[in-house]
Amino acid sequence: DAMVIQNPRYQVTQFGKPVTLSCSQTLNHNVMYWYQQKSSQAPKLLFHYYDKDFNNEADTPDNFQSRRPNTSFCFLDIRSPGLGDAAMYLCATSRATGDIYEQYFGPGTRLTVT
Amino acid sequence: GQNIDQPTEMTATEGAIVQINCTYQTSGFNGLFWYQQHAGEAPTFLSYNVLDGLEEKGRFSSFLSRSKGYSYLLLKELQMKDSASYLCAVCDSNYQLIWGAGTKLIIKP
């Protein structure tokens, strides 16, 4: 089945220790998104890629970086996690931008910072 | 600024009907989505409205009034598995999704 996969599902890291979250998709979608979602809050868009074109949201902290080496994979790097970065991180894909396309979400990675 | 408002929490009884409201103020409008999110899981797509009126899909229906900046999701014949958060999201003029915080729906037997 075509899908969006995120690894790991649960990640524990120490304060200040870099961590990388990964996302892969078999949908062959052009657009990949990274969202941060805290409990009972709306998903917050961090960045998105249209193919290799990177789009950073204005309020995304510099602590968050992303890489998309190819169509299928996308990574979220948190360089120095703080306690406030503990959240669910959701990867999503869609066919394109500039039109209305449904976003397909992966199962998420729950990040704990100790 | 852009704003999506939904009730924080609602409670309903198994077998009943519930209506979850969403009001929005966004820069431009290219449609409204409803997603379902079970606790600890990713959102899954339920419906999309871009024209005024009611879209029916089985037990779920979604309504849109663009002039009022208003939508609702109607769930009929509630089942225990419908206990989840329901997220309203508007596609703005830049084709970005603006998300509400979600409505947690609790179903009681």
Side-chain angles (χ1 to χ4, degrees):
Chain A
D1 288 341
M3 57 195 332
V4 182
I5 302 161
Q6 289 188 247
N7 284 304
R9 295 290 310 275
Y10 300 90
Q11 176 74 57
V12 180
T13 191
Q14 292 177 336
F15 184 95
K17 185 174 181 182
V19 66
T20 294
L21 310 181
S22 73
C23 176
S24 63
Q25 53 128 342
T26 59
L27 296 161
N28 204 31
H29 283 172
N30 296 101
V31 190
M32 294 187 80
Y33 306 82
W34 277 107
Y35 287 92
Q36 179 194 65
Q37 188 180 27
K38 298 186 176 180
S39 181
S40 301
Q41 295 185 20
K44 177 183 183 299
L45 182 64
L46 297 173
F47 10 66
H48 76 276
Y49 283 90
Y50 185 102
D51 292 330
K52 283 192 173 285
D53 291 337
F54 177 70
N55 296 273
N56 196 29
E57 293 301 301
D59 58 354
T60 299
D62 292 340
N63 196 27
F64 291 85
Q65 303 287 318
S66 184
R67 297 169 281 137
R68 188 179 186 186
N70 55 51
T71 301
S72 301
F73 286 88
C74 196
F75 299 96
L76 171 63
D77 300 307
I78 308 177
R79 293 193 295 188
S80 181
L83 297 178
D85 297 327
M88 175 76 91
Y89 289 88
L90 296 166
C91 174
T93 72
S94 69
R95 277 197 288 154
T97 58
D99 205 333
I100 314 304
Y101 291 107
E102 171 192 341
Q103 292 186 18
Y104 294 80
F105 284 84
T109 295
R110 181 164 295 283
L111 179 69
T112 301
V113 181
T114 62
Chain B
Q2 310 208 85
N3 197 49
I4 310 282
D5 282 319
Q6 310 178 230
T8 304
E9 187 174 296
M10 299 181 72
T11 303
T13 304
E14 190 177 16
I17 299 173
V18 71
Q19 178 175 309
I20 302 174
N21 295 326
C22 171
T23 58
Y24 62 88
Q25 291 177 306
T26 56
S27 56
F29 180 83
N30 281 304
L32 185 146
F33 291 83
W34 283 97
Y35 278 79
Q36 180 191 60
Q37 186 175 27
H38 285 100
E41 297 182 12
T44 56
F45 170 79
L46 288 178
S47 69
Y48 170 69
N49 294 67
V50 66
L51 299 176
D52 290 349
L54 189 68
E55 294 279 343
E56 297 188 75
K57 196 185 286 188
R59 293 190 297 116
F60 292 9
S61 303
S62 55
F63 172 83
L64 175 68
S65 169
R66 287 171 296 171
S67 62
K68 295 181 179 177
Y70 168 70
S71 173
Y72 67 72
L73 180 69
L74 191 72
L75 291 76
K76 302 176 186 175
E77 301 169 16
L78 286 170
Q79 302 174 9
M80 297 304 292
K81 67 178 182 179
D82 296 330
S83 292
S85 287
Y86 291 85
L87 297 157
C88 172
V90 171
C91 188
D92 71 5
S93 56
N94 293 319
Y95 297 98
Q96 295 294 330
L97 284 186
I98 310 302
W99 293 84
T103 298
K104 183 178 179 181
L105 178 62
I106 299 167
I107 310 294
K108 295 186 174 178

